[in-house]
């Protein structure tokens, strides 16, 4: 590939990162052009994905290309270089809001059929389902995951420690999970001895055969699992835990991942809401049924549905719901000022972010009175819930972690090719009738895995490909070698799936020279304890984990160490040879959008984007022999370091430096570094004028950027903001905009 044709794909996503992109991308594009690199965009926002799904409803001018599918295809090519920002994994409620906004803007897309009545509605719903939940990441993640805090970032956190609330040994906070009947307890797992096509079928007690999934093509040596969550056991568990919280006077909170686990977790969430408000749900069962109330989408759905009823009936329902609170525990709040509880929407409390936030707050969450309180954190699936109990135990005993001295815990995660639970959505089913759930070889009729299930149980099949496991082990070894840190594989020999992985890990470790490396395998609970004992002694430990723990740990440790996972470097070396550079490990920060719209202050920290861009440029430089790209990467890293040293990250407070101001400083320091270097005279000449203009106008630019704050602004939409309006809001400094144009061609 010639230097002229070099391309980096920068994704356009949603919410805060999308807004930040309006300000950052013009800076990036003007700098990278100097090295012959085109930074092109790819819109994978919810709105773009919805529009791409329904071209026949749109005029020619309104049609948009299927960018996500195209990007997915590119991940399979060796030259691909993608910078992927976090995007919304939409709940049904968010999808409906997005549809409404698009319809209001003249896009005649169909309504979302909540309760599809005919084939056409069923097909529309199925198409919309492709846009809900975690629809983007699994398509793009054709590689395993390497997430870590770069040295400069860790040093910054040590020098500028974020606040950590104290832990008391008397804290009553704890984790509650199921002890039987959940996915962990009945799991079965095998490694295939040849490639096979299988089907997933239910043989009902009444003798019917229901094909749930007609065909899944499996590769030789692939690991597959069959597991189910018993509805009966789940409901009993909720009854017991709600009662326990009420009796012992501790606040109740539910932590699931309804975004990523888009089929199973909304169901798990819905059962909890129905048990909590059991009396009201029993009394109004028929009416709720007629109205199509579905609290798998949260209490917001119920409140929305009852608005069609006469006022007196609405009041009666609300009274009955309130009455339930008398014999129920206090509920943790998402927004106590607005009265929004943990049950409002299934994606308000997302376990990977919510549990670290709780642990950072000394094991507390917000109560209805706006106070922080101890809490029973309910996570029905026991498979990974135990790691949180272990860290809570540790904090009760040792106190809060100290960001000034604690070690770091990078992660190497098994993620490629839709590994494990995070790739199971199309193979997850709510069972309609009691029976036997089989995974059966299509050619031979041989039943590979079989489970006895009952109506209401959630049954799923997970897969992980041998090539993905082999690549994961290789990545762990190379990270151990390059960092000098020990690696712990968090694998539980008592769990059938992980027992299969242990065999493979041991086998693939033999393919590498591991002399002098410290590589161990431990169950999750032991691994957590071992890692934490090292963490408090300032020692570093790489966690090598499966896909869910990759997600959980890469929020948990960064939030303890750095105050946020936004400051992580997140690399996905694509198995086909390309690279995807994710930014941070956190979400799309809906609260930040609210602050921008109300006060014109964006507190999103784009550090993750800066870090990702530097590795993306470096990789491109190496692969295409483009020395200018390498120099851009080196100077960008220097600029990021300087930005941290000078504390030019965004402040959360309106009126102070925000995301836009932080981008200005990046541009200033980057231009100065390029103008000062002597490796490439042409680049030096090109950047001298912009470095001068930015340096001379520092005060003026910062004043222009801060002066606009404090008032509400209109960006013309939430899911599809107006480009011109948002551009004006996000680029308010005429002096900065003019200076950027001085990068000589
Ligand atoms: N890779 C991806 O595409 C990911 C997408 N998501 C999606 O994002 C949405 C929201 O997820 P949720 O888990 O609630 O997380 P949030 O986006 O709400 O993040 C949690 C909190 O972390 C802080 N934070 C995260 N990133 C930054 C940043 N760059 N700069 C400053 N602060 C930051 C903010 O704290 P504060 O409010 O105190 O400033 C924020 O409220 C969901 O739709 C989820 O699916 C989630 C994770 C990864
Ligand atoms: O895709 C998603 O919904 C979120 C992914 C996530 O949380 C992560 O990868 O850390
Ligand atoms: Mg996550």
């Amino acid at each position: 590939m010639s230097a002229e044709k070099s391309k980096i794909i920068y994704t356009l996503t949603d919410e805060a990162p999308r807004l930040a992109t309006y300000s950052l991308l013009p800076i990036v594009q003007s700098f990278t052009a100097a090295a012959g690199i085109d930074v092109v965009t790819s819109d994978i926002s919810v709105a773009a994905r919805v529009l791409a799904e329904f071209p026949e409803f749109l005029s020619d001018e309104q049609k948009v290309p299927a960018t996500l599918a195209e990007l997915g295809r590119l991940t399979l090519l060796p030259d691909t270089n993608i910078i992927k920002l976090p995007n919304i994994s939409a709940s049904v409620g968010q999808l409906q809001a997005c549809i409404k906004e698009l319809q209001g803007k003249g896009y005649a897309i169909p309504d979302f059929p909540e309760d599809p009545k005919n084939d056409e509605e069923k097909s529309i719903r199925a198409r919309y389902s492709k846009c809900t939940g975690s629809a983007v990441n699994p398509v793009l993640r054709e590689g395993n995951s390497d997430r870590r805090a770069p040295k400069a970032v860790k040093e910054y956190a040590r020098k500028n420690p974020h606040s950590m609330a104290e832990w008391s040994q008397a804290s009553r906070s704890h984790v509650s999970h199921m002890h039987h009947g959940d996915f962990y307890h009945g799991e079965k797992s095998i490694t295939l001895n040849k490639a096979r096509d299988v089907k997933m079928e239910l043989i009902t007690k009444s003798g019917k055969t229901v094909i749930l999934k007609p065909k899944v093509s499996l590769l030789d040596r692939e690991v597959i699992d069959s597991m189910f969550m018993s509805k009966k056991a789940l409901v009993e568990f909720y009854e017991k835990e709600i009662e326990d919280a009420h009796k012992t006077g501790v606040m109740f909170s539910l932590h699931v991942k309804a975004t990523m686990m888009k089929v199973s977790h909304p169901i798990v969430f819905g059962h909890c809401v129905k048990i909590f408000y059991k009396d009201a749900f029993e009394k109004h069962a028929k009416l709720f049924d007629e109205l199509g109330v579905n609290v798998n989408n949260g209490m917001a759905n119920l409140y929305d549905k009852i608005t069609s009823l006469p006022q007196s009936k609405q009041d009666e329902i609300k009274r009955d719901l309130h009455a339930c609170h008398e014999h129920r525990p206090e509920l943790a709040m998402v927004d106590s000022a607005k009265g929004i509880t943990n049950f409002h929407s299934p994606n308000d409390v997302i376990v990977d972010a919510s549990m670290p936030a709780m642990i950072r707050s000394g094991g507390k969450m917000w109560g209805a009175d706006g106070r922080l309180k101890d809490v029973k954190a309910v996570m029905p699936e026991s498979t990974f819930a135990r790691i949180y109990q272990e860290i809570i135990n540790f904090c009760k005993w040792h106190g809060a972690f100290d960001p000034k001295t604690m070690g770091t815990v990078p992660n190497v995660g098994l993620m490629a090719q839709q590994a494990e639970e995070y790739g199971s959505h199309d193979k997850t089913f709510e069972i309609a009738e009691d029976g036997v759930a089989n995974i059966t070889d299509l050619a031979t009729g041989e039943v590979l895995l079989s489970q006895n299930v009952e109506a209401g149980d959630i049954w799923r099949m997970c897969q992980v490909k041998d090539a993905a496991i082999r690549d994961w082990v290789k990545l762990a070894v190379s990270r151990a070698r390059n960092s000098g840190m020990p690696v712990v594989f968090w694998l539980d020999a008592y769990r059938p799936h992980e027992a299969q992985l242990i065999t493979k890990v041991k086998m693939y470790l033999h393919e590498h020279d591991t002399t002098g490396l410290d590589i161990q395998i431990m169950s999750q609970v032991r691994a957590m304890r071992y890692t934490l004992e090292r963490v408090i002694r300032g020692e570093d430990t790489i966690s090598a984990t499966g896909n869910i723990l990759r997600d959980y740990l890469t929020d948990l440790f960064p939030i303890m160490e750095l105050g946020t996972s936004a400051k992580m470097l997140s690399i996905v070396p694509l198995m086909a040879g390309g690279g995807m550079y994710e930014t941070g490990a956190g979400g799309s920060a809906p609260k930040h959008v609210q602050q921008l719209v109300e006060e014109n202050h964006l507190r999103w920290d784009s550090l993750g984007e800066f870090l990702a861009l530097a590795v993306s440029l470096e990789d491109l430089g190496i692969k295409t022999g483009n020395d200018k790209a390498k120099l851009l990467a080196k100077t960008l890293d220097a600029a990021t370091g300087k930005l941290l040293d000078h504390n030019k990250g965004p402040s959360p407070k309106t009126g102070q430096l925000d995301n836009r101001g932080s981008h200005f400083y990046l541009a200033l320091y980057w231009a100065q570094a390029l103008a000062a270097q002597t490796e490439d005279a042409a680049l030096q000449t090109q950047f001298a004028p912009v470095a001068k203009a930015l340096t001379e106008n520092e005060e003026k630019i910062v004043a222009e950027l801060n002066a606009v704050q404090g008032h509400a602004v209109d960006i013309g939409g939430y899911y599809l903001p107006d480009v011109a309006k948002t551009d004006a809001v996000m680029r308010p400094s005429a002096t900065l905009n003019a200076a950027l144009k001085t990068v000589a061609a």
Side-chain angles (χ1 to χ4, degrees), residues 147 257 352 551 554-555 585:
R147 287 181 175 177
K257 180 114 187 175
D352 53 339
D551 182 20
T554 59
D555 260 344

Side-chain angles (χ1 to χ4, degrees), residues 509-528:
L509 280 173
H510 287 304
E511 293 185 342
H512 306 281
D513 174 13
T514 55
T515 333
L517 302 182
D518 178 353
I519 300 178
Q520 303 184 60
I521 301 177
M522 290 178 210
S523 75
Q524 280 91 358
V525 172
R526 278 166 187 262
M528 178 58 98

Side-chain angles (χ1 to χ4, degrees), residues 84 86-89 137 259 353 566 586-589 591-592 603-605:
K84 157 70 179 63
N87 61 283
I88 295 179
S89 296
N137 287 324
T259 47
S588 49
K591 271 200 287 178
H592 293 197
R603 71 178 191 273
W604 178 261
D605 190 336

Side-chain angles (χ1 to χ4, degrees), residues 37-91:
I37 300 164
D38 247 354
V39 178
V40 299
T41 58
S42 171
D43 188 347
I44 51 170
S45 61
V46 191
R49 286 182 279 124
V50 163
L51 292 178
E53 193 55 49
F54 293 100
E56 75 272 30
F57 290 83
L58 304 175
S59 69
D60 283 347
E61 303 78 64
Q62 289 176 328
K63 285 192 177 109
V64 302
T67 28
L68 178 62
E70 172 60 9
L71 212 52
R73 193 184 65 77
L74 293 176
T75 60
L76 304 173
L77 303 178
D79 292 333
T80 298
N81 187 316
I82 302 170
I83 296 181
K84 157 70 179 63
L85 278 71
N87 61 283
I88 295 179
S89 296
S91 64

Side-chain angles (χ1 to χ4, degrees), residues 84 86-90 133-138 141 145 147 257-261 350 352-353 415 422 547-548 550-552 554-555 565 570 582 584-587:
K84 157 70 179 63
N87 61 283
I88 295 179
S89 296
S134 185
V136 170
N137 287 324
R141 288 173 167 172
S145 149
R147 287 181 175 177
K257 180 114 187 175
T259 47
M260 181 57 101
M261 300 309 297
I350 307 179
D352 53 339
M415 178 175 83
Y422 280 2
N547 211 350
I548 292 192
R550 165 199 66 74
D551 182 20
Y552 292 7
T554 59
D555 260 344
S565 53
S570 185
E582 297 196 35

Side-chain angles (χ1 to χ4, degrees), residues 312-344:
S312 59
K313 194 72 194 166
Q314 290 187 39
D315 292 344
E316 181 194 331
I317 293 170
K318 284 183 188 162
R319 262 198 315 276
D320 292 337
L321 289 169
H322 281 214
C324 293
H325 283 282
E326 268 168 41
H327 55 272
R328 290 307 198 196
E330 182 178 0
L331 271 184
M333 305 301 280
V334 171
D335 188 334
S336 33
K338 294 195 177 133
I340 296 178
T341 74
N342 212 267
F343 288 156
H344 182 74

